[in-house]
Amino acid sequence: MDAENTVAVKSFAFAVRIVRLCRHLRTDQHEYVLAKQLLRSGTSIGANVEEAVGAISKADFSHKISIAYKEARETNYWLKLLAATETLTPVAFTSIQTDCEELCRILRAILNTTRIKKEKDQDTEPS
């Protein structure tokens, strides 16, 4: 399985966890504002990865992966805030935040690889 497919599967599974967590935050914790922010950024990761998979150019692919990475970083922020305000238990936080950080690392690696390939392509183009 290549990196794009791996990240697509992982980001979709993460989005499912985020939806379930946000449902819990709204119904059990009565936390609506942060849940909405978390839902938006946490599900956006997979949506942008899916768009990257269907990209029409290398630049389009890189752009969508870049957005997915930024959304993952934002999601990490909301998770930390929920933990710091004791809205999430330490166990729940650690579990989902570990997955979020893994997505960040994968997306960052894809971005780095894309940039290296772009630089190599530019070096080999005739002037």
Side-chain angles (χ1 to χ4, degrees):
M1 181 178 269
D2 63 22
E4 292 80 20
N5 288 339
T6 299
V7 75
V9 168
K10 287 182 179 286
S11 62
F12 182 82
F14 183 75
V16 170
R17 288 191 71 192
I18 289 292
V19 168
R20 290 180 177 150
L21 173 58
C22 290
R23 188 179 303 139
H24 163 75
L25 291 172
R26 286 189 315 264
T27 58
D28 298 345
Q29 301 286 336
H30 303 288
E31 174 52 64
Y32 303 100
V33 176
L34 295 179
K36 185 176 180 179
Q37 290 291 108
L38 180 64
L39 182 66
R40 188 199 58 74
S41 65
T43 57
S44 182
I45 301 164
N48 279 288
V49 167
E50 189 64 28
E51 286 188 47
V53 169
I56 57 174
S57 68
K58 290 179 183 178
D60 187 28
F61 173 83
S62 182
H63 177 69
K64 294 300 180 186
I65 290 295
S66 164
I67 293 171
Y69 174 72
K70 290 176 184 180
E71 294 292 343
R73 299 298 315 159
E74 181 181 341
T75 300
N76 198 34
Y77 171 82
W78 295 122
L79 291 170
K80 287 179 184 178
L81 183 60
L82 287 164
T85 58
E86 299 175 354
T87 308
L88 274 182
T89 66
V91 172
F93 167 73
T94 299
S95 174
I96 199 158
Q97 203 249 354
T98 299
D99 287 351
C100 188
E101 287 191 344
E102 179 185 20
L103 278 173
C104 287
R105 284 191 303 275
I106 292 169
L107 291 164
R108 184 43 134 174
I110 292 169
L111 279 173
N112 289 344
T113 301
T114 303
R115 284 195 183 113
I116 290 168
K117 286 181 181 178
K118 183 179 177 182
E119 289 170 5
K120 283 183 181 179
D121 289 346
Q122 288 174 346
D123 289 344
T124 59
E125 288 179 3
S127 300

